[in-house]
Amino acid sequence: MADSLFYLFAFFTVACAVGVVANKNAVNAAMCLMLCLMGIASLFVLLDAYLLAALLVLVYAGAVVALFLFIVMLLDMQGGVKRPFKKMTAVASVASLALMLVGVTMIKTRGQLSSLPAPVGTTAPVGAVLKNYAELLFTTYLLPVQVIGFLLLIAMLGVIVLSKKFAGMGDIK
Amino acid sequence: MDFFFQLPLWIQGIAKGLAVIAVLFPLAAACSMAERKISAWIQGRPGPNRTVVPWLAWIPIIVPFLQRLGVFQLAADGGKFVFKEDPVPGHVNKLYFIAAPVLAMIPALTTITIVPFGAYLNDVGQLVPIVLANVDIGLLAVLAISSLGVYSVILAGWASNSKYPFLGSIRASAQLISYELSMTLSVLPVFLWVNAPGGQGTLSLFDVVQVQSGQGFHFDSLWLGLWMPVSAFIFLVALFAETNRQPFDMAESEADLVGGFHTEYGAFKWSLFFVAEYAHMIVGSGVFTLLFLGGWNPLPGLPLTTVVHGLQHWISFAGHPLFMGVLGILIFLGKVGFFIFFFMWVRWTLPRFRYDQIMKIGWQKLLPLSIGNLIFYALLIALIQK
């Protein structure tokens, strides 16, 4: 049951991810991104990481992609012109192909998914208990969380400074 | 009863889900009738009171009474929406134009799976919630799924490919995203209180009601709305904004945008938007009732279990799980019904805010208020639970 659900959602996620990249229409691409995030959320649910799934849907599918869509609609992008081929494109595609090969080889040689210990029946999985998240966030990952929070604050302030017109600063463009 | 529990699990699940939808869907439709009737009362006019099924009109007393109430108008409206021609304008994006009303229904009907609406005592004397899925992350899942409702508004406005729907959907989506913040921050004190130190951590709505089910007037058995009134107020205001109800109905604002995001819609698709709006209202009122008004407990300090134990002296079957379950659901629905009335009462009393006022209220008033409220209760709860 869990296996077939995994294949279903994994296929769905990958198909939507391809849709994001391949779609000419930006609205279609944004909707595919939303569906792709929903697929990832369902994969999280299959891994018993309910909190992550809910947060992914709440923050990314519910707000971030909605904002993408919002901007796409405001700018009214329709496909866009096809850019001429550049040398850089060839270099980038070769590099990304190589990276993908490295990734696939890594999973093939070092992936140990089959040798994981079987889950113990009675205790809830680590990801299903909210307390585990809280403990890790306030102990092991306290510094990264604070740093990321600080970065986001800086980004927000930057946006405000760049977009707001301050009084008496009309000559600064 | 036993026959039902012997069925395979997935058939039980489907049966329960269909039962809940079979209640929610007509309830949402009935709300549209209630809206017309209540608006009529508030404005001092009779409201719909003529429609009647021809053959039924011969039955005295009951049918004229229902006719005055406008019950048959509801059926007539429903029939009209189904049989009316459903044109798709030529200038729209067909796929998203048709998908938008469907996308409105999906979150509205999905959130109900996580909302408990009653409880009963089983044979061992444990309180069991009546809910489709009693998940640990309860409230977070409700917020997550209902946040997807914004897509139906955005897509409906964009796919309609004309000015007024587009403006309506842009305003509405900005509003929905802004008020989500205050809403989430306003419920944090509730869960700070529910998750006493040493627990496993829970966001389940059933546990919130359990905290409010203490007996007698102790401090820690009060309904949370009574000792977190600011949280309750912020949540309620944000709920009005999230369900696109007046005075926050930027999506529609029919005075300046014709019909807002659904200007181009008609017939059945239009009615789907409306059923979804009322379903959102029902689920939202339900969540408010669970968080701040003690869920299925009749009075503060008087939990349902005590009431049922007291009734056992008078009525012999009061101890039966079915009796307690039905009583709990009725009390819960009574509270939800009051809030739906409250939604309509506000709609026909207050004028609509302007768009800039909505943004000002959301970001400059409600958000600082909810942050201050969170800090205040975090300190207070830390002092109490030390």
Side-chain angles (χ1 to χ4, degrees):
Chain A
M1 178 75 172
D3 267 358
S4 49
L5 278 181
F6 170 78
Y7 284 121
L8 179 71
F9 289 130
F11 179 76
F12 177 77
T13 309
V14 173
C16 291
V18 170
V20 178
V21 185
N23 251 313
K24 281 269 163 61
N25 188 332
V27 172
N28 284 343
M31 288 310 286
C32 280
L33 183 58
M34 193 268 275
L35 289 178
C36 177
L37 288 168
M38 296 301 286
I40 296 173
S42 33
L43 289 176
F44 276 142
V45 169
L46 286 183
L47 291 171
D48 289 323
Y50 306 115
L51 182 73
L52 281 185
L55 286 181
L56 191 77
V57 174
L58 183 64
V59 176
Y60 287 94
V64 173
V65 179
L67 282 178
F68 283 179
L69 206 56
F70 196 80
I71 303 298
V72 167
M73 279 164 39
L74 273 182
L75 299 181
D76 200 21
M77 292 180 209
Q78 293 292 347
V81 278
K82 210 176 171 194
R83 296 220 179 130
F85 186 78
K86 281 190 212 155
K87 264 185 202 157
M88 210 53 198
T89 319
V91 176
S93 39
V94 168
S96 50
L97 188 69
L99 276 177
M100 200 174 89
L101 278 178
V102 169
V104 171
T105 339
M106 266 169 72
I107 291 171
K108 256 197 100 147
T109 54
R110 301 300 297 258
Q112 300 189 335
L113 289 176
S114 56
S115 63
L116 281 179
V120 188
T122 49
T123 54
V126 183
V129 183
L130 294 174
K131 198 183 172 187
N132 296 337
Y133 286 102
E135 249 171 30
L136 284 179
L137 280 184
F138 279 102
T139 53
T140 317
Y141 298 106
L142 186 59
L143 185 66
V145 168
Q146 296 294 327
V147 169
I148 289 172
F150 201 62
L151 272 179
L152 286 176
L153 183 66
I154 294 171
M156 206 161 73
L157 289 178
V159 168
I160 291 172
V161 169
L162 286 179
S163 61
K164 193 171 162 64
K165 293 183 190 76
F166 292 100
M169 288 177 73
D171 50 335
I172 300 173
K173 286 278 156 69
Chain B
M1 203 67 173
D2 287 334
F3 169 73
F4 180 75
F5 287 113
Q6 276 160 11
L7 289 171
L9 214 56
W10 62 275
I11 294 185
Q12 279 188 34
I14 290 177
K16 282 189 210 163
L18 284 181
V20 169
I21 289 178
V23 173
L24 185 68
F25 210 88
L27 211 59
C31 280
S32 71
M33 199 61 244
E35 175 107 60
R36 293 176 69 175
K37 218 50 191 174
I38 287 169
S39 70
W41 288 334
I42 289 177
Q43 296 170 344
R45 56 187 171 87
N49 65 347
R50 296 297 175 90
T51 322
V52 70
V53 183
W55 306 287
L56 286 182
W58 296 98
I59 305 171
I61 305 173
I62 304 171
V63 171
F65 175 70
L66 291 178
Q67 184 187 0
R68 298 264 157 67
L69 269 183
V71 171
F72 300 106
Q73 183 77 39
L74 174 63
D77 272 349
K80 183 192 77 173
F81 283 134
V82 174
F83 292 116
K84 207 174 168 184
E85 190 193 351
D86 195 359
V88 177
H91 54 79
V92 302
N93 182 326
K94 282 221 176 53
L95 173 66
Y96 291 125
F97 188 78
I98 294 170
V102 181
L103 275 178
M105 285 305 294
I106 292 172
L109 292 183
T110 312
T111 40
I112 195 74
T113 48
I114 307 150
V115 177
F117 29 79
Y120 64 91
L121 287 171
N122 63 6
D123 300 336
V124 204
Q126 267 178 328
L127 206 59
V128 183
I130 305 175
V131 58
L132 291 181
N134 186 25
V135 288
D136 252 357
I137 48 165
L139 184 76
L140 205 56
V142 173
L143 290 178
I145 297 169
S146 61
S147 75
L148 295 178
V150 66
Y151 285 104
S152 82
V153 179
I154 297 185
L155 286 179
W158 179 76
S160 294
N161 192 19
S162 70
K163 274 179 205 136
Y164 292 131
F166 189 66
L167 284 174
S169 79
I170 291 272
R171 287 182 187 181
S173 42
Q175 169 194 314
L176 288 178
I177 293 170
S178 322
Y179 280 78
E180 236 168 54
L181 286 174
S182 325
M183 190 179 221
T184 318
L185 282 176
S186 72
V187 294
L188 280 181
V190 172
F191 287 96
L192 282 180
W193 180 240
V194 171
N195 289 302
Q200 281 296 302
T202 177
L203 292 170
S204 158
L205 288 167
F206 176 62
D207 292 337
V208 178
V209 178
Q210 285 300 87
V211 167
Q212 304 174 63
S213 306
Q215 206 175 336
F217 261 104
H218 297 299
F219 181 64
D220 51 359
S221 69
L222 274 184
W223 287 0
L224 292 173
L226 290 178
W227 90 276
M228 292 179 180
V230 182
S231 287
F233 174 73
I234 298 169
F235 188 84
L236 195 61
V237 173
L239 195 62
F240 270 84
E242 289 294 309
T243 47
N244 275 326
R245 290 292 295 185
Q246 241 151 7
F248 290 97
D249 68 334
M250 278 300 104
E252 223 181 308
S253 29
E254 67 267 12
D256 45 341
L257 293 183
V258 188
F261 72 107
H262 57 59
T263 306
E264 305 281 349
Y265 282 86
F268 196 65
K269 294 198 206 70
W270 183 86
S271 68
L272 275 185
F273 276 126
F274 266 71
V275 173
E277 182 181 322
Y278 287 116
H280 266 305
M281 267 167 61
I282 293 171
V283 174
S285 315
V287 172
F288 184 84
T289 307
L290 292 169
L291 286 177
F292 297 109
L293 287 182
W296 43 84
N297 296 313
L299 284 172
L302 184 69
L304 184 62
T305 356
T306 319
V307 172
V308 169
H309 281 311
L311 278 178
Q312 265 172 337
H313 297 298
W314 310 96
I315 313 167
S316 56
F317 56 84
H320 197 274
L322 204 61
F323 178 81
M324 187 169 171
V326 170
L327 188 66
I329 291 178
L330 284 181
I331 292 172
F332 180 71
L333 279 184
K335 290 178 186 176
V336 170
F338 170 75
F339 268 97
I340 290 176
F341 170 71
F342 183 74
F343 268 97
M344 293 168 184
W345 189 9
V346 169
R347 168 168 182 182
W348 297 101
T349 308
L350 294 179
R352 177 187 297 114
F353 293 127
R354 274 196 328 260
Y355 177 66
D356 59 321
Q357 289 172 329
I358 290 213
M359 286 297 127
K360 203 166 265 179
I361 293 171
W363 290 102
Q364 295 187 357
K365 305 247 162 66
L366 226 46
L367 190 61
L369 186 64
S370 54
I371 292 174
N373 178 55
L374 173 64
I375 294 173
F376 173 73
Y377 276 103
L379 293 177
L380 192 67
I381 289 169
L383 281 179
I384 293 172
Q385 290 184 338
K386 196 164 67 177

